[in-house]
Amino acid sequence: MRVALFGGKNRGSAILNKLLEFEQQVVGVFYFEEDPHEKIWYEKVQDVAVRRGISSFNHTTTSKWDLTQILRNLRPEIIFVVSWRYRIESAQYSIPPRGCVVFHDSLLPKYRGFAPMNWAIINGEKRTGATMFYIADEIDSGDIIAQKATDITADDDAKTLDEKVTRLYIDLLVENLPLLADARAPRTSQDHSKATYTCKRIPEDGLIDWKASAERVRNLVRALTDPYPGAYTFVRHGGRMRKLYIWRTSLDNDTRNYVGCVPGRVVEILVGKGIKVLTGSGALVVEIVSLEEDPRKVRADQVVRSLKATLGMPGLYFG
């Protein structure tokens, strides 16, 4: 088939490589520039396109009218959309005769919208997955072609779950590509009454609220750990307040009932492991951290050495 791909992140390059492995005629790749805060930990989809001699187009600098004409000139039989963050107009997605197929990292109709994988970890979900569906005007509402599920274990974080979901994307493509080529792929309407939605996340959303439960804080940390920007708090260090990124934590089994409790207060220095910090409900062991302007990841007990320390926004607990 003649294929056009709208792709971003690692999954865009993974799907492009798989399409080429299956000898699909990729006639054009559309990409976007990552935001400045986004860490690149994969081969960019546009770099794969250049290496393989495929025409590539920067969506960020392409008007919707130019985009429509480019697609008409490319004459794709099908469009695949992977890890994309911009709206594709009906004038564009209606061009290919075999449709426009989107990959989404949730089990639709649950978690329509932005960053569903990260939100699933934050919300303590035990299960997620990937959905392949036909595009529609309403966000993530189109007819489903196929879905695959995966567990979210207590040890999963953003990186491990991202790897699981990427494998599901590839499996969905491999299993359904022949059906799409022959126009035999299934279509199942979503139950829109069961839809849930997520909003776009920004780096500021990674600020830790120590009044939340220990489990909630841990979920936020593991949802935003490498390769994502990281959950963060503030600590007095070197005579000034500095941003402290937290990359790994574990739940503490201390059953003591703190009736004198300051959320964010360090109550134990665990030499060689980290620090124990109180939350709104329970205690959390903070293990791996890094200070702003210093990329080195170290044990928390190497940074915080005092039981007088309180983690949190400047001005909340400091007199």
Side-chain angles (χ1 to χ4, degrees), residues 118-126 152-156 208-224 231 246 248-254 277-286:
N118 307 85
W119 277 114
I121 299 175
I122 291 169
N123 292 338
E125 299 283 4
K126 305 302 182 186
I152 305 175
T153 71
D155 294 325
D156 271 323
I208 293 171
D209 176 9
W210 293 103
K211 294 180 181 178
S213 69
E215 183 176 7
R216 182 76 177 179
V217 174
R218 181 176 183 268
N219 286 344
L220 181 67
V221 170
R222 64 193 185 111
L224 301 183
I246 299 179
R248 192 176 74 204
T249 65
S250 58
L251 294 175
D252 184 72
N253 58 9
D254 188 347
V277 183
L278 295 181
T279 72
S281 176
L284 192 69
V285 176
V286 176

Side-chain angles (χ1 to χ4, degrees), residues 30 67-76 79 92 95:
F30 297 85
L67 179 58
T68 303
Q69 189 57 53
I70 290 169
L71 284 169
R72 287 172 178 161
N73 293 340
L74 292 174
R75 296 181 294 107
I79 294 174
Q92 297 150 9
I95 289 172

Side-chain angles (χ1 to χ4, degrees), residues 84-194:
W84 196 247
R85 62 180 55 163
Y86 297 101
R87 181 177 179 83
I88 301 175
E89 305 287 345
S90 60
Q92 297 150 9
Y93 71 67
S94 61
I95 289 172
R98 284 175 172 74
C100 181
V101 174
V102 184
F103 293 82
H104 185 73
D105 44 324
S106 80
L107 297 172
L108 293 173
K110 302 296 185 183
Y111 284 84
R112 293 177 179 176
F114 297 94
M117 184 195 74
N118 307 85
W119 277 114
I121 299 175
I122 291 169
N123 292 338
E125 299 283 4
K126 305 302 182 186
R127 196 163 176 80
T128 187
T131 301
M132 173 188 273
F133 67 100
Y134 289 103
I135 199 170
D137 283 339
E138 176 64 27
I139 185 170
D140 299 331
S141 66
D143 293 346
I144 292 173
I145 298 168
Q147 294 181 312
K148 283 186 175 293
T150 187
D151 291 334
I152 305 175
T153 71
D155 294 325
D156 271 323
D157 59 23
K159 185 176 188 298
T160 62
L161 191 57
D162 185 275
E163 292 168 349
K164 286 182 179 181
V165 173
T166 299
R167 288 195 292 270
L168 295 184
Y169 274 32
I170 293 172
D171 290 345
L172 285 170
L173 177 68
V174 170
E175 292 173 13
N176 291 281
L177 192 58
L179 299 176
L180 290 165
D182 293 340
R184 294 185 293 111
R187 303 185 71 120
T188 303
S189 298
Q190 295 187 39
D191 184 346
H192 303 298
S193 68
K194 295 182 178 178

